[in-house]
Amino acid sequence: MATKTHQRRFLKRIMKILGVHIGHDSSAALVVDGRIVADVAEERFTRTKHYAGLPIHSIEYCLKSQNLTMADLDAVAVPASMSVPDLNFLFDLKGAKREQVTRKRQAFELVREILKKPDISPPLYIKNFPLHTRTEIIHVEHHLAHAASAYYTSGSREKQLIVTIDGSGDSASAGIWRGENGKITKLQTFPNAGSLGWFYSNVTEGLGWWHGDGEGKTMGLAPYGDHTKCQGVLDKFTPKYADGDLVEPHDFGRAGYWNEGGAIQWHFDESYEIRDLIEKHGRENIAAEGQRVLEEQVKNLVFPWLEREGTRNLSASGGVMLNVKLNQRLWESGRIAKHHTYPNPGDSGLAVGAALYAYYSANPSAPIHAIEDLYWGPEYSDKEIEDALKLRRLEYRRVEDVAEYVAGKLAEGKICSWFQGRMESGPRALGARSILMSTAKPENKDIINARVKFREAFRPFCPSMLWEKKEEYLEHSRDEFFMITSFTCKQSKRPRVPAVVHADGTLRPQTVKKEFAPRFWNLLSAFEKLTGDSVLLNTSFNVMGEPIVNHPREAIRCFYDNGLDVLALGNFVLEKRV
């Protein structure tokens, strides 16, 4: 590795930076002149949810999307504080640039052993990316990468508190940071004994779902329960915070790893004890209590630090911040004036964070851009789409105004899949790879869950709505382009959109602005002209347990494997016979 002095000189000319994350939700991202131009999780190519192997396809896509080669890169940024042996394999590192194996990196050693990738040159049939001699590898600590993904996408250089909370990364479970004038300063980090992410995931596993995957189910189940019927029963399983500090660390015991088809999941034996409590108190009530504890502990951490820093601006990242109900509690507290959560806050967002941190370390006075959309994934031309349709000998039609045509089908009550433009980055469907339906009938939620997604009946759905109409539907409204915060639905609108109003009266919206998503905005606008409502039920284009579709062939396969009625691939439309 280069000396700090050499690295500082080198960093001054960094312009093109590839971020690479290897581990749970492996991913790659490309930052050019401070802007994110490509970002994708490897699971979208391998079709294994939360894939933890080498992000070979993701790197290949990032470079190809901008017509770059490895020789064009100024740096590769890695969200890990120490050596990552798999980089030797991925980038064919030799000599001085070889990543050294250290005992301090036991977590990465475990991953390498599980994946059985020896520290040798890759086989000829495995794509690798030899690093150019002038391209530096820059290591960015895990939570600092999370913090960078939040601050450097906030659109503001003014002072703000940055909070990062997840399960664990580089032996830390949470971090408190100051973002100001383009610089991130560490204020405090907390060890794994303070992991609120592990606590919530243990509750999730106790309910029978994957640690590191099913936490959204726990959050969705919670509103059906009553935490007062079991309040306090989870206290022995959680660390406790007060006045911004960890006052009661928790011993989680030995961490276990489980390799599920290439996706590495965590496990702790406390989940067995929590399962016993669930049998006694009920699934819904334990879920509600787990949600209450999480919200209470996060508030005990965040609010005192806002006061200490004398700011009402909050940016956040880390997997725990995918909890939209938690984000709503923070926003509705009245203590926050500007609230920004990076919309891909889990580990698949680490590649972006590492690349952004490397760029702004070299260019601290550069403007900080607000993200307007997450359409940073692959896209397919009309020719590629039509070739896929012809190859499968399918009947289809081409329509000139696909938004108007699909709006008509939605107004008839049809379930439509919508495949348009570049794929979204992150876990939410935002009008590029979406399944859509009218929100007018409450049973539409059950129809989608049973006929299309094949998932639990209690699972809620998100509404996508015209940005111009957000104040008509949302209490304490603000721009919410990424479905990362829930809001209370105004009472007067609940009868109009029952399919997307959750049991507690909340919505998790995407407000769609014409400048950011013109084709999706046109669809919503056309639907409003037909029905009077500017809202559609929007869920990800996949079935439960699978990643969101990426390629047209996956869209076609998914369309014919469930109860969808219409598929719009670009300007091409397929419909099932009734």
Side-chain angles (χ1 to χ4, degrees):
M1 297 296 292
T3 65
K4 289 184 178 179
T5 301
H6 174 76
Q7 195 174 49
R8 278 198 297 269
R9 288 181 192 144
F10 172 80
L11 283 172
K12 288 181 181 179
R13 62 180 179 84
I14 285 180
M15 303 300 284
K16 301 180 183 70
I17 306 169
L18 180 71
V20 176
H21 164 58
I22 304 171
H24 182 78
D25 287 327
S26 291
S27 60
L30 187 64
V31 168
V32 177
D33 292 342
R35 292 189 181 273
I36 306 162
V37 295
D39 176 37
V40 66
E42 188 69 7
E43 67 167 26
R44 304 296 174 87
F45 300 100
T46 65
R47 311 310 299 160
T48 297
K49 198 170 184 183
H50 304 302
Y51 184 73
L54 300 179
I56 292 170
H57 300 90
S58 301
I59 293 170
E60 191 170 34
Y61 158 71
C62 286
L63 295 173
K64 184 178 178 181
S65 72
Q66 304 301 311
N67 297 313
L68 299 178
T69 68
M70 290 295 293
D72 296 313
L73 297 178
D74 297 295
V76 172
V78 183
S81 60
M82 300 289 286
S83 298
V84 182
D86 279 339
L87 293 182
N88 296 330
F89 189 101
L90 190 59
F91 294 121
D92 195 21
L93 302 180
K94 296 180 176 70
K97 287 202 173 179
R98 192 163 187 82
E99 287 281 297
Q100 298 299 315
V101 178
T102 68
R103 292 185 178 182
K104 293 181 181 180
R105 299 305 303 154
Q106 292 179 4
F108 283 104
E109 285 292 272
L110 279 169
V111 170
R112 188 164 69 91
E113 182 179 347
I114 290 169
L115 295 176
K116 301 186 185 304
K117 292 191 178 71
D119 191 21
I120 58 175
S121 297
L124 290 175
Y125 54 83
I126 298 294
K127 175 80 173 179
N128 75 326
F129 305 87
L131 205 66
H132 193 275
T133 54
R134 74 175 182 84
T135 305
E136 190 65 64
I137 292 181
I138 299 170
H139 284 265
V140 182
E141 186 267 330
H142 180 103
H143 276 268
L144 180 55
H146 275 317
S149 72
Y151 179 46
Y152 295 125
T153 60
S154 68
S156 174
R157 294 175 58 84
E158 65 182 312
K159 183 178 181 180
Q160 54 191 267
L161 185 73
I162 310 168
V163 176
T164 60
I165 308 175
D166 63 9
S168 174
D170 279 334
S171 299
S173 64
I176 304 292
W177 319 77
R178 178 190 302 127
E180 189 173 19
N181 293 326
K183 182 181 179 182
I184 297 175
T185 303
K186 180 188 293 187
L187 301 176
Q188 189 166 344
T189 56
F190 299 93
N192 290 344
S195 181
L196 296 174
W198 279 356
F199 157 73
Y200 199 80
S201 293
N202 283 344
V203 174
T204 296
E205 188 177 347
L207 288 163
W209 299 313
W210 282 16
H211 182 131
D213 172 77
E215 289 80 4
K217 299 182 184 182
T218 303
M219 181 185 68
L221 183 62
Y224 293 94
D226 182 354
H227 70 81
T228 63
K229 293 182 178 179
C230 59
Q231 188 160 332
V233 300
L234 297 177
D235 284 357
K236 64 176 287 190
F237 302 105
T238 184
K240 295 180 177 64
Y241 290 83
D243 297 323
D245 294 310
L246 177 62
V247 294
E248 289 187 32
H250 179 69
D251 182 2
F252 286 92
R254 183 174 61 90
Y257 297 88
W258 185 262
N259 186 346
E260 185 66 35
I264 296 173
Q265 311 297 330
W266 295 73
H267 162 76
F268 294 91
D269 286 345
E270 285 186 339
S271 58
Y272 293 112
E273 295 182 63
I274 295 172
R275 180 188 60 186
D276 295 338
L277 289 174
I278 289 167
E279 292 177 357
K280 179 179 179 180
H281 297 284
R283 295 173 60 79
E284 293 84 356
N285 295 333
I286 291 295
E289 174 64 358
Q291 181 69 25
R292 183 197 69 82
V293 170
L294 177 69
E295 292 174 7
E296 180 180 273
Q297 295 304 321
V298 171
K299 288 189 290 187
N300 289 346
L301 173 61
V302 172
F303 291 156
W305 276 103
L306 284 170
E307 293 181 10
R308 290 182 198 179
E309 285 297 294
T311 181
R312 298 181 69 233
N313 302 327
L314 176 67
S315 288
S317 192
V320 168
M321 308 317 291
L322 277 167
N323 193 300
V324 300
K325 296 297 177 65
L326 166 62
N327 294 336
Q328 180 180 3
R329 299 292 178 265
L330 295 174
W331 171 243
E332 290 184 346
S333 69
R335 303 188 185 200
I336 299 169
K338 293 183 179 179
H339 188 194
H340 170 66
T341 300
Y342 181 59
N344 187 14
D347 282 1
S348 64
L350 285 168
V352 162
L356 286 173
Y357 184 79
Y359 175 79
Y360 282 98
S361 293
N363 303 277
S365 61
I368 295 175
H369 308 289
I371 50 173
E372 299 175 344
D373 64 67
L374 299 183
Y375 306 126
W376 300 324
E379 63 180 332
Y380 301 89
S381 67
D382 280 353
K383 183 181 185 306
E384 290 173 303
I385 292 172
E386 190 164 22
D387 285 348
L389 296 171
K390 287 179 176 178
L391 182 65
R392 288 156 180 80
R393 300 181 181 180
L394 298 172
E395 293 184 11
Y396 62 91
R397 71 177 71 183
R398 182 187 179 101
V399 296
E400 290 305 314
D401 192 335
V402 68
E404 183 177 354
Y405 185 88
V406 173
K409 296 298 178 180
L410 289 164
E412 295 172 9
K414 301 291 187 182
I415 309 171
C416 300
S417 42
W418 182 254
F419 184 105
Q420 305 291 331
R422 295 185 71 179
M423 182 179 64
E424 305 94 336
S425 169
R428 311 293 186 218
L430 300 169
R433 305 288 187 272
S434 291
I435 292 172
L436 307 169
M437 196 176 187
S438 167
T439 64
K441 297 179 179 179
E443 61 266 28
N444 286 358
K445 177 178 81 75
D446 299 324
I447 291 171
I448 294 275
N449 274 326
R451 269 179 51 186
V452 178
K453 302 290 283 191
F454 306 128
R455 66 185 198 177
E456 300 87 352
F458 70 83
R459 301 277 296 277
F461 291 103
C462 301
S464 292
M465 63 179 64
L466 292 175
W467 172 81
E468 297 87 343
K469 301 299 178 71
K470 62 183 183 293
E471 293 183 4
E472 295 181 14
Y473 291 90
L474 308 177
E475 300 281 0
H476 305 288
S477 69
R478 67 157 196 255
D479 292 347
E480 180 45 78
F481 302 123
F482 309 115
M483 297 181 180
I484 199 65
T485 302
S486 59
F487 297 80
T488 299
C489 182
K490 288 191 174 180
Q491 196 76 40
S492 60
K493 286 294 185 179
R494 294 182 192 183
R496 300 287 299 178
V497 292
V500 291
V501 179
H502 201 24
D504 56 359
T506 61
L507 304 168
R508 185 179 73 189
Q510 173 198 11
T511 58
V512 181
K513 205 168 187 179
K514 187 173 185 179
E515 302 94 295
F516 302 164
R519 183 166 283 198
F520 196 39
W521 186 93
N522 287 339
L523 174 62
L524 288 164
S525 181
F527 183 75
E528 182 186 38
K529 290 175 183 176
L530 293 172
T531 66
D533 289 313
S534 57
V535 180
L536 283 171
L537 182 156
N538 179 7
T539 187
S540 55
F541 195 168
N542 63 340
V543 297
M544 187 175 72
E546 295 184 0
I548 296 174
V549 302
N550 171 16
H551 194 278
R553 63 174 172 264
E554 294 148 12
I556 294 166
R557 185 184 305 131
C558 186
F559 175 63
Y560 283 109
D561 195 37
N562 59 36
L564 286 164
D565 299 311
V566 179
L567 168 59
L569 286 160
N571 286 314
F572 301 98
V573 174
L574 291 80
E575 298 182 58
K576 291 176 183 172
R577 294 189 179 96
V578 179

